[in-house]
Amino acid sequence: MELLHSGKVRDVYADGADLILVASDRISIYDVALPTPVPDKGRLLTALSLWWFEQLSDLVPNHVISATDVPAEFAGRAIRCRRLEMVPVECVARGFLTGGGFAEYQRTGSVSGVALPRGLVEASILPEPIFTPSTKAPKGEHDEPITYDQVVDKVGPETAERLRQITLDVYRRGAEIAADRGILIADTKLELGWAPDGTLMLADELLTSDSSRFWPAESYQPGRAQFSFDKQYVRDWATGSGWDKQPPAPEVPAEVVEATRARYVEVYEKLTGNRWD
């Protein structure tokens, strides 16, 4: 195998005509990989992505070839995938107003060019899910919000509309499944790419704690920050640490690592119904 790319969290290897996508235990916030790993994180992300790919396989095709036909040293944290020509856009869907979207709304009354009603607060549920894309920044740089018109400029009107529709369809289906299990999906980020036959496919990870904000429905209350089953806990710690969000990132305290792992495990179990061993 040949290492093609080492990202903030995943490493990509070429294996003949296929790719081997390996999820590490690294954690990334503000587009910076932290130096402290979260044990089992790569296996959790891989298992949850595979579960979601299966749940949504009738809605949109995905890049998965096999979760078992991978090198033994990567077992449990790797997926054998199709090679795709990746779309140069991060596809984000939001059903609730939080994070960078809320900050932008406070400044402009809109998110990625989508005008929203006045008077919304932190964690408000939106009238309907919205497509709020961003750039795909190189490693070490920050993704930046862009408007739908800018997506059209990048990929053309037909592809832009397909990206928006797939992203919203995946979000709606995922949010419905999660809600039945007591989890709210505030937002999620998708990656898509073109197969050689022209099929647009889901790639990378899907509806995980790294790519989504998961909140417990039972304690949801707009107007405040929510308890989260994702890396928001690490973002909050980093903000309080005084770190300037530029590399190098500080070491993460053991108690923050432990609490983060526990949240990843809990949401995996709640969503899939499987016990994490």
Side-chain angles (χ1 to χ4, degrees):
M1 292 196 309
E2 176 190 359
L3 178 62
L4 298 180
H5 175 70
S6 185
K8 295 185 287 288
V9 173
R10 285 172 175 75
D11 299 321
V12 183
Y13 294 84
D15 186 21
D18 306 331
L19 297 179
I20 305 294
L21 186 66
V22 182
S24 74
D25 289 341
R26 299 187 296 270
I27 191 164
S28 168
I29 56 172
Y30 305 118
D31 296 305
V32 179
L34 303 182
T36 315
V38 176
D40 281 340
K41 177 174 171 285
R43 293 174 60 229
L44 283 157
L45 295 183
T46 299
L48 188 54
S49 285
L50 287 167
W51 185 83
W52 278 116
F53 281 131
E54 184 176 351
Q55 302 304 307
L56 303 181
S57 61
D58 65 315
L59 188 65
V60 56
N62 61 70
H63 68 162
V64 177
I65 296 173
S66 174
T68 55
D69 183 15
V70 298
E73 65 266 33
F74 299 143
R77 63 175 64 245
I79 303 174
R80 180 175 293 275
C81 306
R82 295 171 177 83
R83 288 178 181 255
L84 304 178
E85 180 185 349
M86 299 305 294
V87 174
V89 174
E90 297 278 8
C91 295
V92 180
R94 299 178 187 272
F96 295 78
L97 190 59
T98 191
F102 180 53
E104 184 180 348
Y105 169 78
Q106 288 180 303
R107 294 192 306 270
T108 68
S110 64
V111 181
S112 294
V114 180
L116 295 175
R118 298 179 63 181
L120 299 181
V121 298
E122 166 73 25
S124 285
I125 187 169
L126 299 176
E128 60 181 5
I130 58 174
F131 178 60
T132 60
S134 67
T135 60
K136 268 189 178 177
K139 185 177 179 180
E141 299 183 21
H142 298 292
D143 296 339
E144 298 293 341
I146 55 177
T147 65
Y148 181 73
D149 287 344
Q150 288 174 296
V151 177
V152 171
D153 289 341
K154 281 179 174 288
V155 300
E158 183 177 345
T159 297
E161 180 53 35
R162 291 186 67 188
L163 294 177
R164 176 164 63 182
Q165 194 59 55
I166 289 172
T167 302
L168 293 175
D169 286 348
V170 166
Y171 174 80
R172 290 188 179 100
R173 174 77 71 81
E176 181 180 352
I177 292 171
D180 287 341
R181 293 155 170 79
I183 300 295
L184 302 178
I185 303 179
D187 52 40
T188 196
K189 178 174 67 176
L190 309 179
E191 297 215 32
L192 294 108
W194 297 101
D197 66 359
T199 303
L200 190 57
M201 292 185 168
L202 289 171
D204 198 42
E205 61 185 322
L206 181 62
L207 292 165
T208 72
S209 298
D210 266 18
S211 64
S212 315
R213 286 184 173 90
F214 295 132
W215 299 337
E218 63 184 5
S219 62
Y220 168 69
Q221 183 180 341
R224 61 171 176 80
Q226 310 298 307
F227 181 92
S228 60
F229 291 114
D230 51 65
K231 62 182 181 181
Q232 186 61 43
Y233 185 71
V234 183
R235 290 190 193 99
D236 293 342
W237 163 79
T239 300
S241 74
W243 175 47
D244 63 1
K245 304 179 184 178
Q246 299 298 319
E251 293 283 346
V252 184
E255 61 272 17
V256 176
V257 171
E258 183 178 349
T260 301
R261 180 187 180 278
R263 292 174 188 224
Y264 277 51
V265 169
E266 185 173 357
V267 79
Y268 168 83
E269 294 183 338
K270 285 180 178 293
L271 287 170
T272 68
N274 299 325
R275 182 169 175 78
W276 182 254
D277 185 1

